[in-house]
């Protein structure tokens, strides 16, 4: 009954809701979608429609959220789960979009119960039970940023929501049965340690030094690079690329090489 109802509801949404064609045709040229086949784009289109039906996108500070902004966010959130499932985003409903960077100012308890105070300026933030918070200025910047170093605040924050599905924000999302937790841990911890040493020594790094903040940030930043500059990631960090390809069930480097 539940399966039938979900299928009925899904088909009802797909039949009765639409994305303005002019917006869709513009946004499928985003760099993170490069090389997608027609059937992939069709599945992405369906995911975006369902995503926009389920999720609530609100503007902060009187920011008006247009159709194009809604689809821009949804299409890049959904590229992460193109070969996973919309259920990966079941834990939260709301996305809040600020016009620009916003101020963090709150207390939080870590896993050991110690309370910390967060204060600073951010371009995005994700909470396990929502909301996902984004800066529109940073989203808009992605489209005009150079191909490397790759930045994509949408991919970054939604990667955090996937990471948090398994034992909190620790840089390890729920792995599939064909993956090895030991291999994931070995690959990521070894690369994270050597990356932090480079950052501490103020040496030039392949990816944003911000990734040294924590294993969770390392995973989120690498997810940005995986979708925005996959050939470079595959060339320089093949073991990381392989693990991310297994988790996301996508091979963007192959897509890029074929276009
Ligand atoms: Zn982050």
């Amino acid at each position: 009954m539940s399966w039938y109802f979900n299928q009925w509801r899904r088909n009802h949404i797909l039949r009765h809701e639409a994305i303005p064609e002019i917006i869709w045709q513009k946004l499928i040229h985003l760099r993170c979608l490069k090389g997608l086949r027609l059937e992939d784009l069709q599945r992405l289109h369906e995911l975006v429609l369902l995503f926009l039906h389920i999720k609530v996108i609100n503007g902060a500070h009187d920011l008006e959220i247009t159709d194009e902004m809604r689809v821009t966010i949804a299409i890049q959130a959904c590229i992460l789960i193109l070969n996973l499932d919309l259920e990966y985003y079941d834990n939260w409903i709301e996305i809040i979009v600020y016009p620009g960077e916003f101020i963090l100012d709150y207390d939080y308890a870590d896993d050991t119960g110690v309370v910390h105070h967060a204060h600073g300026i951010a371009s995005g933030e994700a909470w396990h039970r929502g909301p996902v918070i984004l800066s529109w200025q940073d989203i808009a910047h992605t489209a005009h940023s150079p191909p490397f170093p790759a930045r994509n605040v949408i991919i970054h924050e939604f990667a955090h929501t996937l990471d948090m599905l398994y034992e909190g924000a620790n840089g390890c999302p729920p792995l599939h049965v064909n993956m090895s937790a030991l291999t994931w841990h070995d690959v990521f911890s070894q690369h994270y340690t050597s990356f932090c040493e480079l950052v501490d020594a103020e040496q030039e790094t392949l990816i944003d030094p911000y990734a040294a903040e924590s294993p969770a940030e390392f995973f989120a930043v690498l997810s940005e690079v995986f979708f925005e500059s996959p050939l470079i990631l595959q060339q320089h960090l093949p073991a990381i690329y392989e693990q991310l390809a297994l988790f996301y069930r996508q091979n963007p480097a192959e897509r890029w090489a074929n276009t």
Side-chain angles (χ1 to χ4, degrees):
M1 183 65 186
S2 160
W3 180 87
Y4 176 80
F5 177 77
N6 285 336
Q7 283 301 308
W8 179 87
R9 184 168 174 237
R10 182 180 181 281
N11 292 338
H12 183 83
I13 293 165
L14 295 179
R15 267 200 311 273
H16 291 89
E17 298 183 17
I19 298 166
E21 188 59 18
I22 191 164
I23 293 176
W24 180 256
Q25 288 303 330
K26 177 181 172 185
L27 294 177
I28 57 173
H29 296 293
L30 285 167
R31 190 166 53 216
C32 62
L33 310 182
K34 186 173 172 177
L36 282 179
R37 296 169 305 175
L38 213 53
E39 55 265 40
D40 296 327
L41 285 172
Q42 180 59 37
R43 286 189 303 111
L44 185 63
H45 189 274
E46 291 185 1
L47 270 177
V48 169
L49 275 175
L50 297 168
F51 181 96
L52 289 173
H53 181 87
I54 295 166
K55 305 303 181 192
V56 176
I57 305 179
N58 290 318
H61 295 173
D62 295 328
L63 179 67
E64 187 188 344
I65 305 295
T66 64
D67 281 348
E68 182 167 337
M69 291 163 84
R70 282 164 49 78
V71 180
T72 298
I73 292 167
I75 201 170
Q76 292 176 87
C78 288
I79 186 62
L80 276 76
I81 55 161
L82 180 65
N83 292 335
L84 300 176
D85 194 291
L86 200 50
E87 284 182 5
Y88 279 72
Y89 291 153
D90 271 0
N91 275 342
W92 54 271
I93 296 284
E94 188 185 18
I95 299 164
I96 299 173
V97 187
Y98 279 80
E101 291 180 322
F102 51 90
I103 293 171
L104 302 177
D105 192 9
Y106 56 80
D107 294 325
Y108 68 97
D110 66 21
D111 291 344
T112 61
V114 177
V115 175
H116 303 267
H117 183 69
H119 186 81
I121 294 173
S123 56
E125 190 171 43
W127 293 82
H128 182 49
R129 296 281 172 195
V132 177
I133 308 171
L134 300 164
S135 147
W136 182 254
Q137 189 180 43
D138 287 78
I139 294 171
H141 179 70
T142 299
H144 307 291
S145 67
F148 209 83
R151 293 308 324 263
N152 187 317
V153 67
I154 299 176
I155 288 176
H156 183 104
E157 297 308 327
F158 286 92
H160 276 316
T161 71
L162 301 177
D163 177 14
M164 286 187 280
L165 290 175
Y166 177 68
E167 295 185 346
N170 60 1
C172 183
L175 305 179
H176 311 302
V177 287
N178 67 331
M179 298 179 70
S180 158
L182 193 63
T183 305
W184 178 283
H185 181 266
D186 284 353
V187 167
F188 274 85
S189 57
Q190 282 167 19
H191 281 87
Y192 180 65
T193 302
S194 48
F195 180 73
C196 289
E197 285 168 5
L198 282 179
V199 172
D200 287 344
E202 297 184 359
Q203 300 219 1
E204 200 171 324
T205 53
L206 181 70
I207 62 170
D208 189 343
Y210 178 69
E213 285 280 313
S214 68
E217 295 303 342
F218 194 56
F219 169 71
V221 171
L222 285 166
S223 292
E224 292 178 66
V225 185
F226 179 73
F227 286 101
E228 288 281 339
S229 305
L231 291 169
I232 292 176
L233 185 65
Q234 188 185 44
Q235 182 188 349
H236 292 277
L237 300 173
I240 292 272
Y241 181 90
E242 186 184 2
Q243 290 303 305
L244 291 176
L246 282 169
F247 171 64
Y248 286 111
R249 291 177 173 150
Q250 296 189 47
N251 191 349
E254 188 180 70
R255 294 204 302 257
W256 280 53
N258 291 334
T259 51

